[in-house]
Amino acid sequence: MAPVSLVSLGKAFGSIEAVRDIDLEIADNEFVVLVGPSGCGKSTTLRMIAGLETISRGELRIGETVVNHLSPGERDIAMVFQNYALYPHMNVAQNIAFGLRHRNLSRAEIKAAVLDAARLLDIEALLDRRPKALSGGQRQRVAMGRAIVRRPKVFLFDEPLSNLDAKLRAQMRIEIKRLHQRVPTTTIFVTHDQVEAMTMADRVVVMNNGVIEQVGTPLDVYNKPATRFVAEFIGSPSMNFFDGTLEAQGEDLVFRIGNGRALPVPRARGSAYSKHFGKRLTLGLRPEALSVSDASDFTIEVETKVVEPLGVETIVYFDLAGHPASVRAAPNRAPRAGETVPLSFDMTFMHLIDPEDGSVIPY
Amino acid sequence: MRMNRLFRTATALSFTGAVALPLLPALAQDDLVTRDRVGLADAENSLTFRLTAYDLYSADPATAEGFVELFTTFINEHPGWRIDTQLQTGNLNEEQARILEQAQAGRGPDCAMIDSAQLATFKNAGVLAPMTDYFTQAEIDDLFPYVREAVTDDNGDIVALWWFTDLRVLYRNAGVVPDAPQTWEETQQAALDTVDEGYEGLLFNGGRTEGTAFDWLAFFWAQGGELVDETGAPIFYEGENREKFLAALQFYDDLVESGAAPQRVATITTYDDITAAAAAGTTAMFIGGNWQYAQLQTTLPVDQAEQWQVSELPGPTADQRATGTGGWAIAALSDDPAKVEMCAEIAKLYAGPGNAFQRLLPTSAALYEEYDEFAGPEFDVFAAALENGQARPGVASYPEISNQIQILLGEVLSQSKEPEQALDDAAAALEVGSDS
Amino acid sequence: MPKPIAQALSRRTATTPEASSIPYWAWLLPVMLVIGAFYIYPIIDALRLAFTDATLTGGAESYTVRSLQRVLSNPALPTILSNTAIFTAASVVGQQLLGLSVALLVVRGERHHLPGMLVLRTIVLAAWVVPGIANGVIWSMLFSESPFGAINGVLRLLELPTVAWLSNPANAMLSAIIANVWQGTAFSMIVLYAALKSVDPSLYEAAAVDGAPAWERFWFITLPQLKAAILVNSILITIQTLNTFDAILALTGGGPGRATEVLSLFAYNTVFYQFDLAGGSALSILLLLISLVLAALYMLFMPKRDM
């Protein structure tokens, strides 16, 4: 229940800079997800916020207070760890109550608080058990109970779902989300799973190589990625990329890909792209911007390599001009592997990426 | 005694890595003396000989070299024989117990070195072979009386050769204490005078070790005290013996209480501790063994060494004297007469040339005349003192009596019990122990 | 795994005809033979000897309870037992405390990547590989009350009063304990170091986030997590210390008087000094019983498996 500010935050381990220049304003009660591949610095950033890593550079504020030099216990935060870190020698009730020891509460008050938290998470029946006797999902709830019972200013989650199986993970995603609705608290959630980031976050922070690539709402980062990294990392299957050049064809712009085929660029992009005319660029198109059909006035024939039926849709993989690519198809109209099929392109979803710096050219 | 001292030294050395039985390069030359035998490997006759690591296999190269020479000559004079040598470890009590146990099971060595203090136990166990036939009557007659008695069994047979003896004497730095104190009183006063001059005072064994009891017993024996009766039962805490015992105890107690001896004597468990203090010049008087004389002579520069002189242990009066005598014997544990004879020959090798080489005290008067090595003035003192020599009583209960004396001396010296109380407790412990 | 395959597999392992025809105890036979020959037999033989009048000097043995009576009615026994209790209890506590301190120090040092932690561990361990006798000799040099004694020499240099480390009966026990703790600390350190390393570091982070200061993290996380290791360690140290006599033998020989004579040294003296095999056996059986009772007591506090 406090905003969190990260100002030029940085962390160096010896000569290695793990995290650089993190600037982030997190609003009160906002649910922010830090996402990125392993080693991108997201966990280090979270641990700096928790006080488990010292801050090498910059300033961290929780509410009005600069907390750089406060111990974790003084920051009024709660954290759920990847392996839950439940105290093995304490039962569930003791685990949950541990953080209340310095609150000057009576035994009855502590008991009530523990019961409250347990009720919220539906683990009342487990209060007497030791962590060893709990399932993964139950442990997850206890870890959350331990965090929630203290009503902290900030909730921190460090990849809390990665040890669960797929079904339970989906279920816990919803529960965490619902918990946030019932107990609104500023929440910072770290994950490497872009699905978790997309489904849970108010805002997603995509990190790579120790810096923030982009901050935005889930739909923002999906639809308007700022960099090729974000475009590639967010979304599954990944965005297709084709190298080529931006050329003029009459009054219109076309993007000529490796094999010489020119794809028409929508007129609306004309003014935004005009100064990149003639450059070598990369075209980015999500699989859903392609379709297996000859319905449009512009099609390219490709040979399918692999076909993945997912039930609701089928992903078709193929190579185009030397680039591996994929397209989503309706299950009932999906081709078989090895078939040659016509592809239609919906260029209104196109992105152009400057290969020099990986940035997406704004439009 | 000597073995115990050497055992401590060897232990101290072995952890510093210095002991590795430095067998000499000379051994390799003729292959007559090796780590486990003396003589040719294919000799037709052989006997096993369990010896300690202080002569042939000494850690001191000079000693080992000398004995290699002696043994080489010896084996050349006994062609066709091979001595299979078995080394005793430094743990004296365990080794002696092991020999006894093995001998009773018929697995013992043919010939072995036996601590004179243990002779009675071996004799009583009946494992020693008579060797009377291999000595002349003159040789037997020439043994010191207490030695002859100890090596003679109930049938009048000689069952071992006690090849060297040792005794306790009073050492003093003549530069500090010019005249040898003759009585307990004089001793205490002389020691107090050295303390005034900044010395530690009189040092002696006072810890839990055989030497403590044995050194001190001289003061009990000097009054004519007796430890055991003819059946071997302890009687030292009864009647007249009790008075004598307490008087000797009081002598030690007074030494510490008056400051004539430091309280640390209660921690001294090796003669080496005392030699070290003498060599370092922190003490000017101590009660020690005869072998320490040679140690001081070799350790100290000549001008300091000649300051150290020996005299007979003081008595309650100048003419009541005694000294404890120890040493080692060699005995045969075999039934084969040829091996027993060979064992007797080995014993004679040690008694004569061996002793002369190591300057250990022979147990027969003739040998002192025979070898020039025994010409020094100290040997006159030793020989005179040996006239008042007292061996440990040859009874099975002696080790436990000694143990109790060590305990009670420790209690008195550390001032934790009064002499009477300490003696009563020892007596009680012995009476419980002796009912079997 | 699909059910039929699982069933087939379990059938194969559980009901192979050759396996089922061999009785279960046959599988235990080799280990029972080894334990029987090398562990049980000596104990039974010692028990048997305790009821004889056997001595090392031979002679026919006959069965009697007098050896046992003699040992148990020995007026020195209460002193010996109280010496043993003090020596053992102080050694266990001392070794645990010191071992834990060094282990915490090393783990902390390693966490902060301080150099020299391996060297520190090795140095501490070096004490452990020193033989007991040598340990006694080393400490007798350090504690020596002669003018050239090491520790007193330092005290003298600092113009502090010297201490009668070994000649005062109470100090002698303390000195023996110090020597034993010095040697045994390494063992405790290794056991506790391993246990500390296996504590999940995120528990400390969780506790830190939960607002527990360092001492609470030690009290509420480290100690409970080490409980099993500390108990096992206590059992091992207790038995080890009860059986220790070589260091005392070299340090004080059990003196002055009986001030440092413990049960194992008493048993050793009884056998190898008095040649009293029966009495020594009775004492070793007593030692064994004490060890077993103490081990059983420790086991009562052993955490359940759901740790």
Side-chain angles (χ1 to χ4, degrees):
Chain A
M1 289 171 287
V4 178
S5 314
L6 288 62
V7 184
S8 303
L9 213 58
K11 174 73 188 176
F13 295 104
S15 59
I16 300 158
E17 284 205 88
V19 172
R20 301 191 300 281
D21 303 325
I22 301 291
D23 283 296
L24 187 63
E25 292 290 334
I26 301 167
D28 200 7
N29 295 347
E30 192 180 11
F31 197 119
V32 167
V33 175
L34 305 185
V35 69
S38 59
C40 72
K42 59 189 188 297
S43 277
T44 304
T45 306
L46 187 79
R47 293 169 59 82
M48 282 195 283
I49 299 171
L52 299 173
E53 295 285 359
T54 54
I55 294 168
S56 307
R57 263 180 292 283
E59 190 175 277
L60 172 68
R61 278 198 302 272
I62 296 177
E64 296 303 305
T65 322
V66 176
V67 298
N68 281 39
H69 298 292
L70 294 187
S71 72
E74 293 165 327
R75 294 186 184 192
D76 199 6
I77 44 149
M79 184 156 170
V80 176
F81 292 82
Q82 180 168 4
N83 64 354
Y84 320 130
L86 299 181
Y87 311 123
H89 48 279
M90 301 181 196
N91 66 22
V92 169
Q94 289 165 331
N95 261 284
I96 295 176
F98 189 76
L100 297 175
R101 297 163 15 77
H102 292 284
R103 293 279 170 97
N104 283 328
L105 297 177
S106 72
R107 276 180 173 226
E109 285 169 316
I110 289 178
K111 205 171 169 192
V114 170
L115 214 57
D116 249 14
R119 209 170 287 138
L120 202 59
L121 291 156
D122 203 17
I123 49 173
E124 290 158 274
L126 309 177
L127 287 175
D128 290 332
R129 295 220 199 143
R130 292 277 175 95
K132 268 267 161 70
L134 301 178
S135 71
Q138 289 168 332
R139 286 182 208 179
Q140 174 72 65
R141 284 164 205 262
V142 175
M144 276 159 55
R146 192 169 63 178
I148 211 167
V149 74
R150 289 174 31 214
R151 307 280 158 167
K153 287 191 185 133
V154 185
F155 266 153
L156 305 175
F157 289 87
D158 188 6
E159 309 223 18
L161 305 182
S162 55
N163 286 349
L164 301 177
D165 62 49
K167 195 174 165 194
L168 203 50
R169 199 180 310 158
Q171 189 188 327
M172 289 309 298
R173 277 202 316 253
I174 295 165
E175 288 204 20
I176 292 174
K177 196 78 187 181
R178 202 163 55 201
L179 190 69
H180 184 248
Q181 286 161 0
R182 292 172 65 179
V183 188
T185 307
T186 312
T187 302
I188 306 171
F189 188 107
V190 160
T191 181
H192 63 271
D193 181 348
Q194 52 98 17
V195 177
E196 280 172 25
M198 296 292 288
T199 52
M200 299 173 78
D202 292 334
R203 273 197 303 159
V204 175
V205 178
V206 185
M207 293 185 67
N208 187 35
N209 284 331
V211 296
I212 293 178
E213 293 270 335
Q214 188 174 2
V215 181
T217 64
L219 287 181
D220 254 2
V221 294
Y222 187 81
N223 292 329
K224 294 199 139 191
T227 63
R228 172 167 172 154
F229 175 81
V230 177
E232 198 171 359
F233 189 79
I234 302 288
S236 175
S238 201
M239 186 183 278
N240 302 311
F241 297 101
F242 308 104
D243 292 337
T245 45
L246 191 63
E247 293 174 4
Q249 197 168 66
E251 288 186 21
D252 294 328
L253 288 173
V254 293
F255 189 83
R256 189 173 298 281
I257 56 176
N259 63 357
R261 300 296 299 266
L263 300 168
V265 174
R267 289 227 169 116
R269 307 281 182 102
S271 58
Y273 290 162
S274 56
K275 56 179 185 251
H276 299 280
F277 184 77
K279 268 197 201 163
R280 288 204 59 77
L281 295 167
T282 303
L283 168 69
L285 277 174
R286 292 206 180 272
E288 56 267 32
L290 280 60
S291 55
V292 182
S293 87
D294 51 5
S296 79
D297 46 355
F298 184 85
T299 62
I300 297 177
E301 303 257 303
V302 293
E303 192 191 316
T304 62
K305 294 268 183 204
V306 175
V307 174
E308 274 183 0
L310 296 178
V312 63
E313 61 181 358
T314 296
I315 314 289
V316 179
Y317 294 90
F318 58 92
D319 284 352
L320 178 56
H323 300 284
S326 62
V327 55
R328 294 180 197 272
N332 54 347
R333 286 195 291 187
R336 281 171 311 192
E339 234 176 286
T340 302
V341 296
L343 280 183
S344 292
F345 291 77
D346 185 348
M347 294 296 280
T348 53
F349 292 113
M350 71 175 285
H351 302 281
L352 275 184
I353 298 155
D354 186 345
E356 300 271 299
D357 59 2
S359 63
V360 175
I361 297 164
Y363 54 89
Chain B
M1 268 315 78
R2 167 177 164 269
M3 290 305 155
N4 210 10
R5 163 180 64 86
L6 288 169
F7 155 46
R8 304 288 179 154
T9 316
T11 314
L13 285 174
S14 65
F15 88 80
T16 59
V19 159
L21 287 187
L23 281 193
L24 319 163
L27 299 195
Q29 288 173 9
D30 43 15
D31 262 348
L32 267 179
V33 179
T34 71
R35 225 167 247 268
D36 58 2
R37 71 174 151 80
V38 172
L40 294 170
D42 54 0
E44 50 192 293
N45 301 313
S46 70
L47 84 163
T48 52
F49 176 44
R50 186 86 49 95
L51 74 171
T52 53
Y54 308 112
D55 35 69
L56 182 58
Y57 298 123
S58 170
D60 170 36
T63 307
E65 214 168 330
F67 270 86
V68 166
E69 235 169 81
L70 289 177
F71 265 95
T72 305
T73 314
F74 176 81
I75 206 69
N76 286 333
E77 287 167 3
H78 295 84
W81 275 95
R82 185 182 78 241
I83 306 168
D84 291 319
T85 52
Q86 304 172 342
L87 205 50
Q88 299 187 28
T89 65
N91 199 335
L92 175 68
N93 286 327
E94 269 183 55
E95 280 294 347
Q96 296 285 300
R98 187 169 300 140
I99 293 172
L100 184 57
E101 218 191 340
Q102 289 174 340
Q104 283 171 334
R107 293 179 285 111
D110 298 322
C111 188
M113 286 189 182
I114 291 165
D115 185 355
S116 65
Q118 309 271 11
L119 256 181
T121 309
F122 278 79
K123 244 167 39 174
N124 294 339
V127 292
L128 303 182
M131 13 166 93
T132 318
D133 297 348
Y134 313 111
F135 296 101
T136 65
Q137 194 56 45
E139 278 172 334
I140 296 171
D141 290 345
D142 198 40
L143 291 171
F144 292 147
Y146 68 89
V147 172
R148 191 165 55 239
E149 191 193 327
V151 298
T152 308
D153 71 2
D154 294 343
N155 304 327
D157 271 319
I158 300 293
V159 289
L161 178 57
W162 185 335
W163 53 279
F164 82 88
T165 188
D166 56 27
L167 75 158
R168 281 96 198 106
V169 286
L170 180 67
Y171 283 79
R172 71 184 195 284
N173 182 334
V176 184
V177 187
D179 300 316
Q182 303 300 322
T183 64
W184 294 350
E185 217 183 314
E186 286 173 27
T187 307
Q188 181 171 330
Q189 192 50 53
L192 279 171
D193 290 345
T194 69
V195 172
D196 288 342
E197 290 187 46
Y199 292 94
E200 279 195 273
L202 178 69
L203 295 188
F204 49 86
N205 282 310
R208 283 288 291 275
T209 181
E210 166 66 15
T212 295
F214 196 33
D215 294 356
W216 174 86
L217 274 173
F219 304 114
F220 175 60
W221 284 326
Q223 309 166 69
E226 286 180 4
L227 279 180
V228 294
D229 63 13
E230 54 275 18
T231 67
I235 51 164
F236 63 85
Y237 42 80
E238 291 162 357
E240 271 180 37
N241 284 319
R242 180 186 176 87
E243 300 310 314
K244 291 168 181 167
F245 197 95
L246 286 173
L249 213 46
Q250 197 62 49
F251 168 47
Y252 263 30
D253 194 20
D254 288 347
L255 283 174
V256 174
E257 267 192 76
S258 68
Q263 197 188 327
R264 82 170 180 100
V265 292
T267 71
I268 297 179
T269 52
T270 77
Y271 290 97
D272 284 349
D273 285 354
I274 301 173
T275 311
T282 66
T283 184
M285 286 173 82
F286 66 88
I287 294 169
N290 59 288
W291 61 88
Q292 283 170 286
Y293 188 84
Q295 283 182 335
L296 288 174
Q297 298 302 317
T298 51
T299 313
L300 293 174
V302 181
D303 58 324
Q304 288 175 41
E306 62 189 17
Q307 295 290 321
W308 283 99
Q309 293 185 9
V310 289
S311 62
E312 209 171 343
L313 288 180
T317 63
D319 49 8
Q320 286 176 291
R321 307 291 188 112
T323 185
T325 52
W328 278 67
I330 290 175
L333 301 112
S334 168
D335 296 331
D336 182 343
K339 289 182 178 177
V340 175
E341 180 175 8
M342 192 65 181
C343 186
E345 294 293 316
I346 294 174
K348 287 180 189 172
L349 171 72
Y350 274 92
N355 277 340
F357 180 78
Q358 283 188 295
R359 307 210 177 182
L360 299 175
L361 298 181
T363 53
S364 91
L367 289 170
Y368 286 90
E369 305 302 319
E370 192 178 330
Y371 292 95
D372 294 341
E373 281 85 350
F374 302 119
E378 73 273 22
F379 289 101
D380 297 337
V381 176
F382 296 151
L386 277 175
E387 284 177 28
N388 296 319
Q390 277 266 12
R392 282 163 276 216
V395 295
S397 57
Y398 175 74
E400 181 53 15
I401 293 174
S402 164
N403 186 33
Q404 291 299 334
I405 292 176
Q406 294 164 35
I407 291 168
L408 73 87
L409 277 174
E411 289 165 347
V412 169
L413 293 175
S414 64
Q415 313 290 310
S416 52
K417 276 186 192 169
E418 286 303 313
E420 294 233 4
Q421 181 65 45
L423 177 57
D424 288 342
D425 290 351
L430 279 169
E431 301 212 317
V432 171
S434 65
D435 71 349
S436 59
Chain C
M1 170 178 331
K3 246 188 171 171
I5 297 177
Q7 278 169 356
L9 277 178
S10 70
R11 199 177 307 130
R12 245 191 89 194
T13 49
T15 60
T16 310
E18 310 90 81
S20 63
S21 66
I22 299 171
Y24 70 92
W25 51 263
W27 301 103
L28 294 172
L29 206 57
V31 73
M32 275 161 53
L33 282 177
V34 169
I35 289 177
F38 296 106
Y39 295 90
I40 310 282
Y41 173 71
I43 291 173
I44 290 176
D45 201 41
L47 194 59
R48 184 187 68 78
L49 283 169
F51 288 96
T52 66
D53 57 359
T55 67
L56 274 192
T57 56
E61 297 167 19
S62 59
Y63 287 89
T64 169
V65 292
R66 290 181 69 186
S67 305
L68 207 59
Q69 279 174 350
R70 192 160 29 111
V71 162
L72 295 179
S73 61
N74 189 320
L77 196 60
T79 312
I80 303 282
L81 288 178
S82 94
N83 285 346
T84 309
I86 293 168
F87 181 67
T88 307
S91 293
V92 170
V93 172
Q95 286 179 35
Q96 298 272 24
L97 287 182
L98 220 57
L100 184 58
S101 311
V102 179
L104 285 169
L105 214 65
V106 171
V107 168
R108 241 186 123 71
E110 284 179 347
R111 196 180 308 142
H112 292 90
H113 306 284
L114 293 184
M117 285 305 119
L118 184 67
V119 176
L120 178 63
R121 254 157 61 204
T122 315
I123 289 174
V124 175
L125 207 57
W128 189 46
V129 299
V130 169
I133 291 266
N135 182 31
V137 172
I138 291 168
W139 280 98
S140 66
M141 290 171 180
L142 293 175
F143 284 136
S144 168
E145 292 165 37
S146 65
F148 38 86
I151 296 177
N152 276 352
V154 172
L155 291 177
R156 234 173 262 122
L157 273 181
L158 301 173
E159 301 194 347
L160 293 170
T162 58
V163 177
W165 293 107
L166 299 171
S167 65
N168 174 303
N171 288 355
M173 177 54 89
L174 183 67
S175 302
I177 290 166
I178 290 173
N180 193 47
V181 167
W182 175 79
Q183 181 167 39
T185 290
F187 180 78
S188 291
M189 189 271 285
I190 291 298
V191 170
L192 297 175
Y193 170 80
L196 276 174
K197 290 289 263 192
S198 68
V199 176
D200 180 355
S202 66
L203 293 183
Y204 293 109
E205 297 183 339
V209 169
D210 273 342
W215 76 267
E216 282 192 2
R217 294 202 290 272
F218 175 75
W219 188 256
F220 290 108
I221 309 293
T222 308
L223 279 186
Q225 288 287 299
L226 294 186
K227 192 175 168 191
I230 289 174
L231 279 168
V232 169
N233 201 20
S234 293
I235 294 176
L236 294 175
I237 298 176
T238 302
I239 293 172
Q240 156 98 43
T241 306
L242 280 174
N243 288 319
T244 292
F245 67 89
D246 44 5
I248 297 185
L249 191 64
L251 185 64
T252 65
R258 288 199 191 272
T260 53
E261 190 164 0
V262 293
L263 191 51
S264 52
L265 181 58
F266 188 49
Y268 174 88
N269 283 339
T270 304
V271 174
F272 290 104
Y273 214 89
Q274 296 160 244
F275 297 154
D276 180 0
L277 198 52
S281 299
L283 288 170
S284 17
I285 295 292
L286 182 61
L287 196 57
L288 178 70
L289 285 179
I290 293 175
S291 297
L292 286 177
V293 168
L294 289 178
L297 274 179
Y298 287 127
M299 292 306 286
L300 284 183
F301 294 98
M302 206 60 152
K304 303 288 176 294
R305 289 215 60 183
D306 65 356
M307 279 293 291

